[in-house]
Amino acid sequence: NAGVTQTPKFQVLKTGQSMTLQCAQDMNHEYMSWYRQDPGMGLRLIHYSVGAGITDQGEVPNGYNVSRSTTEDFPLRLLSAAPSQTSVYFCASSSQGASDEQFFGPGTRLTVL
Amino acid sequence: AQSVTQLDSQVPVFEEAPVELRCNYSSSVSVYLFWYVQYPNQGLQLLLKYLSGSTLVKGINGFEAEFNKSQTSFHLRKPSVHISDTAEYFCAVSSNRDDKIIFGKGTRLHILP
């Protein structure tokens, strides 16, 4: 099993550009989530999903969109990138939701100029 | 809504000395508590978790934590640290009321030779 994979590993955008961060898992996990990690701020929940077709907002959802059309994939879209979105983004998944161990991807380091 | 406070942003400790990393939480409902570790340039991995039952929880790499409901704390301890424990440690909380996991801001553990 590959576990949780994220692409790309690094990305540089200009302000106003859009892009999609990809996240996939091969463990048949129902629960998936996106976090951003900033120095001194820990991990902050952006969006999460408890299953295909179901998504909900986390602590910092503004500027980000998600969809969950399959169990395996949970892409994160930045519609119009801003310098404040410069961060490291982590995707995670678990089989039993928020009460279970979360398996994290390796992260995507995004810089917005 | 839940919240997590990690009282120390950095903890220096000599190799083979004991260490305690402090975590306090706030919640109006029953909680699930977790400690995760992040080694440099990697994603997070689970150290241990408390769901119910015994308040003393043992995890990987010799770590343990004690759930104290009256003090709303879940401090992480290790009796003797090694240089390989150099990492950032995150406390996290969730509940059975919603599907969100809230992370603390992290504690960097520095092992001194």
Side-chain angles (χ1 to χ4, degrees), chain A residues 83-107:
Chain A
S84 61
Q85 294 178 304
T86 293
S87 187
V88 180
Y89 292 85
F90 287 100
C91 179
S93 73
S94 77
S95 62
Q96 300 292 330
S99 64
D100 198 11
E101 176 180 3
Q102 304 299 307
F103 291 86
F104 283 82

Side-chain angles (χ1 to χ4, degrees), chain B residues 3-99:
Chain B
S3 67
V4 176
T5 301
Q6 290 185 243
L7 298 164
D8 304 297
S9 59
Q10 297 190 65
V11 173
V13 62
F14 286 104
E15 197 169 11
E16 299 185 7
V19 69
E20 178 179 84
L21 306 183
R22 297 180 292 169
C23 172
N24 286 90
Y25 68 91
S26 173
S27 176
S28 58
V29 298
S30 295
V31 297
Y32 308 120
L33 293 158
F34 308 84
W35 276 98
Y36 284 84
V37 61
Q38 184 180 33
Y39 298 105
N41 299 313
Q42 295 186 24
L44 279 72
Q45 62 184 86
L46 182 70
L47 274 178
L48 48 79
K49 63 182 178 183
Y50 171 80
L51 302 181
S52 64
S54 174
T55 58
L56 183 62
V57 180
K58 293 189 182 297
I60 62 171
N61 300 340
F63 283 94
E64 64 180 33
E66 185 155 18
F67 171 60
N68 188 318
K69 188 175 182 179
S70 63
Q71 296 187 8
T72 60
S73 68
F74 190 56
H75 299 334
L76 181 70
R77 301 185 184 99
K78 186 169 182 178
S80 175
V81 297
H82 301 284
I83 195 73
S84 58
D85 293 322
T86 298
E88 190 159 19
Y89 293 80
F90 294 92
C91 183
V93 63
S94 66
S95 78
N96 59 5
R97 287 290 184 90
D98 61 34
D99 293 302

